[in-house]
Amino acid sequence: MNETERKVNELAKHSYGTWRRQELWKTPILIKDAEGVYMYDDKDKPYLDFSSQLMCSNLGHKNKAIIEAIIKQAEKMPYIAPGFATEASIAAVDALRSVVPRGLMKFFFSTSGTEANEAALKLVRQYKAPNYKIISRYHSYHGATAAGITFTGDPRRTIAERARCTIQGVRFAPDAYCYRCPFGLKYPDCNIQCARYLDYMIKEEGNVAGIIVEPVVGTNGRIVPPPEYFSIIRQICDENRVMLITDEVMSGWFRTGKAFAIENWNITPDILTTAKGCTAAYTPVGITATSEKIAEFFEQETMDHGHTYAFHPLALSAIPAAVAEYKKLMDTGLPRRVSKYLQKKLYELADQHECIGDVRGIGHFWALEIVKNRETKQPFDVRADKFTHKALMTNRIAGEAMKNGLYFAAWYDTLVIAPPLIITEDQVDEGLNTLGKSLSVADKEAVSTGVPASKTSEYSKRT
Ligand SMILES: Cc1ncc(COP(=O)(O)O)c(C=O)c1O
């Protein structure tokens, strides 16, 4: 063991690795540098970043304008208590108002997506009291705290429930998951049952205060709802006087082509939460953006929430620079052009690999759902396998890709293809070439059905 390996081992021994058994936190790869769409380990081996780290480094690594803004603020005034106004908060609010959907006009700043959702929950419950129930969906992730994990559908909630680390009053609605429709229906004959069922749920449940949804589901599948979905949901919320919270922690910041994913469907939520891309992940910020109606309510009510690091000047200093960089990048037309290229290439990849059941997504936000049998949609692994000792197929593919210099995130059934928005066509080719080779791990164990990908992939029929 050399000196570097010894230091990494010491780190792992004395720190907790996230979301894993600690026996799997022994020898994390040491990353020494990152620039553009690449990161480099201590042996200078490059890895193409095909997931923008955790779907947050949307502008790539080492963006000069953002780094300069942070340095300037660090030199000027890194911290002051949230009860004071700062030039950093004035500039951050100003920049945000130029980019969030119209109608959202008042912001709370925290330091993570989880906290952005926690604040949303408290605001909604105060605003809607005595109604308190929150409806979420099974394919969702909304945060790590007791509240955030309770309205999370993915396997992490099950562990938190067993440990009694959850809150009361959360219910789950069906997903807009056409590839495996919970009602066994087919779009468009389905009449968008997954959306309409919410009306029934709200009325039968009673005391519902709000619904929280990821407009395009992130970690749990890059699920893009049918075109009619959100206008139906907005109408159901209005008719039942229920607040609509859109969680854009991952889907925001031009990842889907629009500044915020919900803008693809021309509706405005009552609350929008975001984080990650708001600073391109250069500093930790969570944002809870609310409508004027909610803002007015709190004129005469205590906003019962806050943190020492709320409105943190150093953290907020990255927001105006990031907003300016996003606008500049979108004006070049590169992300729009490359997203179409990526989509075309992913469909072609699916034609070459039997293990790809579904290809779905939008913009720079794609899922490859990996299956053992394309015809029956039999998966290699299921949600319950996620935190067992089983070596999941998606992790095996991601491990193979890492060996060959390609990084992407994997979940129990999907690969996350969500590169930084600065990626070029050549870099997409480079990534997909390595990905293609890595998929042979799954192809070897997949059933040879001869069924073309276009037959099973639901979204290719719509786009
Ligand atoms: C949709 C969504 N909401 C909330 C969160 C939690 O954000 P954070 O990890 O910054 O607490 C995440 C994190 O991945 C997310 O994807």
Side-chain angles (χ1 to χ4, degrees), residues 54 112-115 117 141-144 214 219 247 249-250 275-276:
L54 294 178
S112 68
T114 299
E115 288 167 284
N117 285 331
Y141 178 68
H142 295 293
E214 293 167 73
T219 307
D247 176 345
V249 169
M250 198 180 280
K276 296 190 188 256

Side-chain angles (χ1 to χ4, degrees), residues 92-136:
V93 165
D94 213 38
L96 277 177
R97 288 181 66 200
S98 75
V99 77
V100 296
R102 220 163 343 130
L104 299 172
M105 48 69 73
K106 193 154 181 158
F107 309 99
F108 172 72
F109 294 99
S110 52
T111 50
S112 68
T114 299
E115 288 167 284
N117 285 331
E118 189 98 15
L121 169 76
K122 287 176 78 175
L123 293 177
V124 165
R125 282 190 168 177
Q126 266 190 275
Y127 182 82
K128 292 301 297 180
N131 288 356
Y132 67 98
K133 286 184 190 166
I134 302 293
I135 295 179
S136 179

